Amino acid sequence: MMLHHKSSGTSQCLSLLMKILTGFSILSIASAWITPSSHFPNRSYISICERNRASMNIVSMTNAQQREEHVLEQRHSIEDLDDERRKLLYLERIGFDSTEINELLSAGPNISNLQRILTAHLLSVPFENMDQHTHPSDGTDTPIVPRKLEQDLPSLNVLKSIDKIIMKKRGGFCFELNFSFCWLLRSLGYNARLALADVGCEQKTPAHVVVLVDDISSLHNNNGVSSEEPSLLLDVGFGLPGVCEIVLPLQNNVVMESYGDRFRFDTIDSLSGRDSSRTAASKDVSIATTNRFDTVLYRTRIDTGIEEPMYSFHSMDALDFGSNDFAKGLERVLTVSPTFNEKRICVISTNHGHITLGSNYVKWVEQWETVKQIDLPTETDWRLALKEHFGVTLIP
């Protein structure tokens, strides 16, 4: 009887243990199933900042895990790959699957696909300046991440920028993003070139770069003969206070609209002939930029109705990646620009606007109105939001 009783008790214990293990397995599978993907072009995810602290601890990586992931990333560099492999990885990084990639490659350069590539890039690669800042610890397991060493800061090396975007799943600011984007377009057969730009049309040292694309013939006249498009401007690296989401043809005073904002170009030579109703800001452009630039991009915001210059540039620029103009602009961004050196910036486009990560909040903006905001009281919360909404993990 005693032996029978002991056997029965053992069976009950084993049965209970199996139930616990089975339940744990189901919970693990469920947890893995509902954990949001960091691949965000579809934007259909739930904010990690809205979960409770216990859930946040489950999905956050330990320092050791972060370092292990970093080691895995470093096993392959973009420099180890040929251009064809880089191109395919870049298209995958911005959300294109194999079928879509084959369609892009077989179709060749055209405006429709150019818009697709622009949109995919804006939805997938954030505008950010994490490398030039020290990220504090808040006394928890969240470690200090120091500012990058000089040799690891953003540079004019386009392969370094491409490696950062593709292999490290990071973003960057204008030089990194538009350099990489220009390289991608060239690899796809587009006649893309780089132009120096002056944000606000008043900088002593211009520190922006835009991409211009030439020779796309996709329009036809009544006889079915191709007619050449004007040059096109694309910009995946403008960042705050918003982004231009559409391909813009370089035609004077042709108004293009994106999410309610209106955009148009004007040549600087023509500004002096405008009537007195021209805004003071626009008149100042011709004085500030005549010596270097010939074109201004204007934006009229939907919320204010006021037209302001976004930046000026030269429509015929075709600068090399290592241009001295770019070197001066990059130095300004990394050393003296208050916009980049006094605060951490991270912005990414959505299907209806953009998401901005502030000093202690993350907010969703549509047509210049904040439609949602979540406070981030600790550095741990801030890092989790950076990972969840922008796909960026800071490695100590």
Side-chain angles (χ1 to χ4, degrees), residues 231-243:
S231 297
L232 308 167
L233 182 141
L234 301 91
D235 191 349
V236 298
F238 187 67
L240 290 175
V243 292

Side-chain angles (χ1 to χ4, degrees), residues 62-200:
T62 65
N63 296 345
Q65 287 173 317
Q66 288 181 341
R67 292 190 182 95
E68 182 180 357
E69 182 181 276
H70 183 57
V71 169
L72 289 174
E73 287 178 348
Q74 295 306 308
R75 288 180 183 175
H76 296 287
S77 168
I78 207 71
E79 295 183 357
D80 300 330
L81 308 174
D82 59 28
D83 282 347
E84 186 66 19
R85 183 59 181 152
R86 292 168 185 162
K87 174 176 65 179
L88 296 178
L89 286 174
Y90 204 137
L91 291 172
E92 291 174 1
R93 167 71 173 92
I94 60 176
F96 289 101
D97 60 31
S98 58
T99 300
E100 292 168 328
I101 290 174
N102 287 333
E103 291 174 353
L104 287 175
L105 297 180
S106 61
N110 63 74
I111 292 181
S112 176
N113 281 341
L114 191 58
Q115 179 66 64
R116 289 177 65 195
I117 298 166
L118 171 65
T119 300
H121 204 288
L122 290 168
L123 291 175
S124 303
V125 183
F127 180 97
E128 50 106 339
N129 66 341
M130 298 299 107
D131 288 346
Q132 65 192 97
H133 289 275
T134 294
H135 308 274
S137 172
D138 57 8
T140 64
D141 290 336
T142 302
I144 294 176
V145 178
R147 174 187 167 99
K148 293 290 186 182
L149 298 176
E150 194 70 26
Q151 65 267 24
D152 297 321
L153 285 171
S155 71
L156 301 182
N157 183 333
V158 65
L159 287 184
K160 182 179 176 181
S161 297
I162 294 170
D163 185 82
K164 181 178 177 181
I165 291 171
I166 297 176
M167 310 303 281
K168 297 180 175 64
K169 304 296 188 291
R170 291 284 303 277
F173 49 70
C174 59
F175 291 103
E176 298 171 287
L177 298 182
N178 278 330
F179 273 26
S180 300
F181 189 60
C182 183
W183 180 93
L184 175 62
L185 294 182
R186 288 175 179 175
S187 76
L188 292 169
Y190 291 90
N191 188 3
R193 52 192 171 92
L194 295 170
L196 182 71
D198 177 15
V199 175

